[in-house]
């Protein structure tokens, strides 16, 4: 039997947190005298009222959740928070609820796909709300949950591990301490990123917004031109901090607490950095040698766009689809990559590719020596059967969701390039797709409502690692 009262109470805690953050854009609206004052007041009142009702109905002296409750709580939290977080958009003039929900789900899952245009002249309150959604969705919202849930006698660490794909043991002994350290590191990196952006020529408002959407690997910008509206120095700042956002946040915590840097001791981090350097360097050489681009520009454009796609940030700097067939194919496959588990990025993640390669290597050895016993290891650990089963199930479901979404988009009347790349970019949480409609130079505004709702569900599935949501549809989940 599901524990309804604890679920209600914890959902109320999340909604109350969302209500508190709504006061930030409300403050901006008051300062700049914008029409969105009423929108944020109504949205915060409605969200706060529902939060209070949930916490009142769910309050109990004993709030304990089992693993089934945690799976349901994870999915419900993201969906219900998105429903309420969309209210300021839909109360804002000219935005219907379908577009509002799409924009919100894209923000809170750090996908970065957008239906909005005219960002350069848009109200400050709406722009800061979009950035806050991505910042919260990246890691801040989850860290707050990990910090709150232990006080409710709930396994907060279990929720964090359900939301992310990190299956490794946690070195920090206490969940509360770990949550605090993660949150402080996340804030510190955000502040550092904002200062670097400001030093590179952005004004403070632009720097604050872009620092939040860079560290969260979300990709929302304050300009329709995205990062192309800013200096070359800002592009390099973005490249550095997007790459940092793709690293496991616990690595920064361990570096600070243990006062030692051991990047190359982690196979995932090592593989991720080598992958970025190799692909960026190869593409830069191709742009310089075959496309006649200046070497400095080739390095900057290649590095920024590769890091943006691999970390699933999705910032636009240039329309890389105009670079030719090689670039189109390369970026299509890069959409799948993702960066490290335990980071804010989406995608398949580097560690899954590394494990798949290790399994393939083991199988090849077995072919040459049928009677031999081989056991591949990853980061000093044996790759067990449950890890292999989980990997296979994830990849199959991942591809199945993309196929289903692609078919739905084609049935909505979209062309094959838009349909396939749209499905991929939603499930991998990258942001822009390929082609003139949803590519780096376009947006998702012209898509039919059915397509937007379908892609919104795809974003949620991708952000929650597919299996977290898929388990809810298994008949046995609801039997007991």
């Amino acid at each position: 039997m599901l524990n309804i009262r604890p679920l209600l109470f914890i959902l109320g805690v999340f909604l109350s947190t969302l209500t508190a953050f709504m006061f930030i854009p409300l403050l901006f609206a008051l300062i700049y005298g914008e029409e969105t004052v009423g929108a944020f007041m109504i949205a915060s009142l409605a969200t706060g009222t529902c939060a209070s009702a949930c916490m009142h109905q769910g309050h109990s002296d004993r709030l304990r959740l089992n693993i089934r409750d945690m799976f349901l709580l994870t999915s419900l939290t993201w969906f219900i928070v998105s429903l309420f977080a969309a209210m300021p958009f839909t109360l804002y003039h000219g935005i219907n609820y379908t577009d509002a929900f799409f924009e919100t789900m894209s923000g809170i899952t750090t996908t970065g796909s957008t239906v909005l245009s005219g960002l350069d002249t848009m109200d400050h309150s709406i722009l800061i709300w979009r950035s806050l959604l991505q910042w919260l969705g990246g890691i801040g919202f989850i860290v707050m949950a990990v910090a709150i849930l232990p006080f409710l006698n709930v396994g907060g660490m279990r929720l964090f591990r359900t939301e992310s794909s990190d299956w490794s043991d946690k070195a920090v002994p206490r969940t509360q301490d770990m949550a605090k350290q993660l949150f402080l590191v996340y804030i510190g990196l955000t502040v550092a990123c904002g200062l670097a952006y400001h030093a590179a020529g952005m004004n403070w408002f632009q720097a604050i917004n872009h620092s939040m959407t860079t560290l969260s690997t979300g990709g929302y910008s304050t300009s329709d031109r995205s990062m192309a509206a800013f200096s070359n120095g800002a592009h390099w700042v973005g490249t550095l901090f997007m790459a940092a956002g793709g690293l496991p946040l616990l690595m920064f915590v361990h570096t600070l607490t243990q006062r030692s840097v051991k990047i190359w001791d982690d196979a995932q981090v090592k593989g991720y950095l080598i992958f970025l350097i190799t692909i960026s360097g190869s593409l830069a050489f191709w742009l310089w040698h075959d496309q006649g681009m200046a070497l400095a520009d080739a390095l900057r454009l290649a590095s920024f766009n590769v890091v943006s796609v691999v970390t699933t940030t999705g910032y636009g700097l240039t329309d890389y689809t105009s670079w030719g067939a090689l670039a189109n194919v390369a970026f299509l496959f890069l959409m799948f990559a993702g960066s490290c588990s335990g980071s804010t990025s989406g995608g398949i993640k580097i560690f899954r590719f590394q494990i798949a390669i290790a399994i393939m290597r083991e199988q090849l050895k077995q072919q040459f020596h049928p009677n031999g016993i081989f056991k591949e290891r990853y980061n000093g650990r044996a790759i067990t059967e449950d890890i292999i089963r989980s990997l296979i199930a994830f990849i199959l479901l991942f591809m199945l969701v993309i196929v289903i979404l692609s078919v739905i988009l084609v049935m909505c009347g979209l062309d094959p390039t838009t349909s396939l790349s749209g499905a991929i970019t939603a499930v991998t949480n990258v942001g822009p797709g390929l082609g003139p409609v949803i590519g780096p130079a376009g947006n998702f505004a012209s898509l039919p409502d059915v397509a937007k709702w379908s892609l919104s569900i795809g974003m949620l599935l991708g952000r929650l690692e597919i299996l977290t949501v898929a388990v809810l549809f298994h008949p046995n989940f609801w039997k007991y």
Side-chain angles (χ1 to χ4, degrees), residues 30-93:
L30 289 170
I31 292 173
Y32 289 97
E34 297 171 345
E35 298 178 1
T36 53
V37 170
F40 282 102
M41 288 184 67
I42 294 171
S44 60
L45 179 62
T47 307
T49 301
C50 289
S52 298
C54 287
M55 294 176 71
H56 176 73
Q57 291 296 320
H59 180 71
S60 173
D61 294 332
R62 186 178 182 182
L63 294 175
R64 294 184 181 276
L65 300 179
N66 56 40
I67 186 62
R68 184 174 61 165
D69 298 325
M70 299 306 295
F71 277 111
L72 183 59
L73 177 63
T74 304
S75 299
L76 275 179
T77 298
W78 284 84
F79 186 76
I80 291 176
V81 166
S82 296
L83 287 176
F84 282 91
M87 291 179 65
F89 291 117
T90 198
L91 293 170
Y92 184 61
H93 56 83

Side-chain angles (χ1 to χ4, degrees), residues 411-477:
M411 292 175 65
C412 289
L414 302 177
D415 64 270
T417 299
T418 300
S419 299
L420 179 59
S421 66
I424 294 172
T425 195
V427 179
T428 58
N429 304 127
V430 171
L434 299 176
V437 180
I438 61 172
N443 67 19
F444 290 71
S446 62
L447 270 58
D449 285 356
V450 173
K452 291 173 184 174
W453 282 102
S454 300
L455 290 173
S456 296
I457 300 302
M459 296 174 201
L460 180 63
L461 288 168
R463 185 66 180 94
L464 299 183
E465 300 282 340
I466 309 289
L467 290 167
T468 304
V469 182
V471 71
L472 303 181
F473 294 93
H474 196 285
N476 289 339
F477 183 85

Side-chain angles (χ1 to χ4, degrees), residues 11-24:
L11 283 172
V13 172
F14 278 102
L15 289 177
S16 64
T17 304
L18 183 68
T19 304
F21 275 92
M22 283 184 178
F23 286 101
I24 296 176

Side-chain angles (χ1 to χ4, degrees), residues 361-380:
R361 190 165 54 237
E362 180 181 318
Q363 185 62 31
L364 289 175
K365 290 179 181 178
Q366 198 73 52
Q367 294 294 323
F368 286 115
H369 306 282
N371 297 322
I373 298 176
F374 305 99
K375 202 65 181 177
E376 289 290 333
R377 304 180 70 83
Y378 179 74
N379 260 352

